[in-house]
Amino acid sequence: MKRYGNLWNEIIAFNNLLSAAQQAQRGKRFRDNVLVFNYNLEKELFQLQEELQSKRYCPGTYTTFQIYEPKPRMISAAPYRDRVVHHALCNILVPIFERTFISDSYANRVGFGSHRALHRFTKFCRSSRYVLQADIRKYFPSIDHEILKSIIYRKIKCPDTLWLINTIIDHSNPQEPVLNYFPLDDLLTPLQRRCGLPIGNLTSQFFANVYLNNFDHFIKEQIKASRYIRYVDDFALFSNDQVFLEAAKNKIEEYLSSLRLKIHPIKSQLFETKHGANFVGFRILPNQIRIRSDNLRMARKRLRQMLLDCHEGKIEPQKLAQSIQSWVAHLKHGDTWQLRQQIFSSLLCDLPC
């Protein structure tokens, strides 16, 4: 395996830091912290560059908050200047690792979003009798720092770049504790190993794909599953042979234990595709793609609130229109023509007089 060195000057180059700042501020240009940073942009970037060059750079404190839909999760927001560093690092690292990813690994990759994943999943589902669909239990809180670093070290040998990667990983804020025990563990092992990456970091999303990259290749090349797809921590194998998938599940659980991961005992199931399968917010049936009812309920609630906020002047009509257009485009990936008519008819009735 080729290892890459001499990356540091590319990472800390002023043009790369400037590009990273432009990427980090997308959709957030008028937030106070971004405005303050941009007011003295050149000075701030040179200061970041100097801190990185001298190894005095130290990540700041995360801001955390809870979300409860679609499931309870802790989201961590890094200070804006740290997000600039994250983009600068990923600008150089992502192309190196991207060429090693399989074509059916989706999410957090340019051109490999949820809708492309949905189309691929649908194709596999409708050409296979069985599906083994699995979910990794508490994935981001379970990512083991030592294992993650060892995976990265196999590809990156630039000492300065590894220093920055280690700095970002080591300054991850405490995540939800996960007590997973594996062979050869003693009672204290899960407490002694540092685990968890903050959901919300660009680097966390990238590292999450890197962490499971060898797992993807194991399924494709060792298990030899020709129809396989992964979206972050959700993955599925398709086959007309039920016995093949049952054997694959045992091998998958064994491999994941080497990454100190476990599949969710309830959400991981082997069943016939004719009964329908849930994926990225849709339910894929043999002759129809429906939007899941819980996703529909949340989206209706969100749109009603935006209508009210627009009426009260809290958001601009243009932002409301963009959100509606985005949701319509999302719904069009399913068989939802009648549903769209019903939804927007009801929303019009909900408009304040």
Side-chain angles (χ1 to χ4, degrees):
M1 176 185 291
K2 181 180 179 180
R3 297 179 70 217
Y4 290 79
N6 302 317
L7 303 173
W8 188 237
N9 288 336
E10 295 180 62
I11 292 170
I12 66 173
F14 184 84
N15 285 344
N16 186 45
L17 292 173
L18 177 60
S19 174
Q22 293 167 343
Q23 293 167 318
Q25 68 178 269
R26 286 176 186 163
K28 308 177 182 70
R29 286 179 56 198
F30 299 107
R31 294 186 181 179
D32 290 344
N33 57 346
V34 180
L35 290 170
V36 170
F37 190 93
N38 284 345
Y39 185 75
N40 294 302
L41 179 60
E42 188 173 297
K43 179 182 176 181
E44 292 282 1
L45 292 180
F46 276 123
Q47 176 67 26
L48 259 183
Q49 186 183 50
E50 193 279 327
E51 289 179 19
L52 290 167
Q53 182 70 65
S54 63
K55 306 294 190 300
R56 292 191 301 107
Y57 168 74
C58 183
T61 304
Y62 285 91
T63 300
T64 63
F65 55 94
Q66 290 287 135
I67 62 171
Y68 300 94
E69 298 288 356
K71 60 183 178 181
R73 288 186 299 172
M74 184 179 81
I75 305 298
S76 303
Y80 178 69
R81 73 194 307 268
D82 291 339
R83 298 202 295 274
V84 173
V85 173
H86 297 168
H87 277 277
L89 177 63
C90 287
N91 284 348
I92 307 305
L93 289 190
V94 167
I96 292 173
F97 283 89
E98 179 66 30
R99 61 179 67 102
T100 72
F101 294 157
I102 67 168
S103 59
D104 282 317
S105 162
Y106 297 86
N108 309 318
R109 296 176 64 192
V110 175
F112 289 80
S114 61
H115 295 142
R116 182 170 175 175
L118 173 65
H119 295 156
R120 189 67 163 165
F121 186 95
T122 302
K123 179 181 179 180
F124 287 158
C125 210
R126 290 177 175 173
S127 61
S128 311
R129 183 175 178 183
Y130 299 101
V131 57
L132 169 62
Q133 196 167 6
D135 172 279
I136 296 177
R137 180 177 177 270
K138 296 182 179 179
Y139 179 47
F140 278 86
S142 299
I143 293 176
D144 186 281
H145 290 191
E146 184 180 335
I147 295 174
L148 173 61
K149 290 177 183 179
S150 71
I151 293 171
I152 294 171
Y153 290 178
R154 293 174 204 155
K155 199 70 177 171
I156 306 298
K157 64 179 180 181
C158 174
D160 294 325
T161 302
L162 291 174
W163 168 81
L164 179 56
I165 292 170
N166 290 338
T167 298
I168 292 172
I169 293 173
D170 292 342
H171 281 80
S172 299
N173 59 334
Q175 301 297 302
E176 176 187 0
V178 180
L179 292 178
N180 283 337
Y181 286 91
F182 300 91
L184 304 181
D185 281 1
D186 59 32
L187 186 63
L188 297 179
T189 300
L191 301 174
Q192 293 169 338
R193 300 185 69 97
R194 285 211 65 198
C195 295
L197 296 180
I199 300 175
N201 271 9
L202 176 68
T203 48
S204 297
Q205 297 166 6
F206 168 63
F207 291 150
N209 267 341
V210 171
Y211 201 75
L212 288 178
N213 186 32
N214 289 337
F215 171 68
D216 293 336
H217 284 277
F218 169 75
I219 291 182
K220 298 287 288 184
E221 297 159 16
Q222 301 299 318
I223 294 180
K224 299 191 182 301
S226 58
R227 286 167 282 183
Y228 162 75
I229 185 171
R230 178 173 64 82
Y231 189 88
V232 192
D233 59 337
D234 295 326
F235 61 91
L237 291 77
F238 301 83
S239 176
N240 293 321
D241 186 345
Q242 184 177 4
V243 175
F244 168 78
L245 293 179
E246 289 172 348
K249 183 180 180 183
N250 294 330
K251 295 175 184 176
I252 285 169
E253 290 178 324
E254 182 179 351
Y255 186 95
L256 287 176
S257 69
S258 69
L259 296 174
R260 299 191 66 81
L261 298 174
K262 292 187 176 183
I263 61 175
H264 198 289
I266 298 174
K267 295 180 181 179
S268 303
Q269 299 177 341
L270 197 166
F271 54 92
E272 290 187 81
T273 55
K274 68 180 182 181
H275 299 303
N278 294 328
F279 190 67
V280 294
F282 289 88
R283 183 159 184 81
I284 295 85
L285 297 161
N287 298 304
Q288 190 178 31
I289 301 176
R290 298 176 181 171
I291 189 165
R292 288 180 55 179
S293 57
D294 52 346
N295 285 50
L296 183 59
R297 173 180 52 80
M298 287 188 294
R300 277 176 159 161
K301 181 180 178 181
R302 189 161 53 245
L303 279 179
R304 288 194 182 99
Q305 184 60 52
M306 291 189 73
L307 282 167
L308 183 60
D309 289 344
C310 184
H311 179 72
E312 295 176 353
K314 296 178 181 177
I315 63 172
E316 297 293 326
Q318 183 181 2
K319 184 176 180 180
L320 173 62
Q322 289 173 346
S323 295
I324 291 175
Q325 289 169 2
S326 176
W327 195 44
V328 169
H330 175 66
L331 290 177
K332 284 182 177 179
H333 288 273
D335 302 306
T336 59
W337 188 87
Q338 289 185 334
L339 174 63
R340 278 176 273 144
Q341 309 310 307
Q342 295 169 4
I343 290 172
F344 293 111
S345 294
S346 65
L347 284 175
L348 288 173
C349 295
D350 291 338
L351 279 170
C353 299

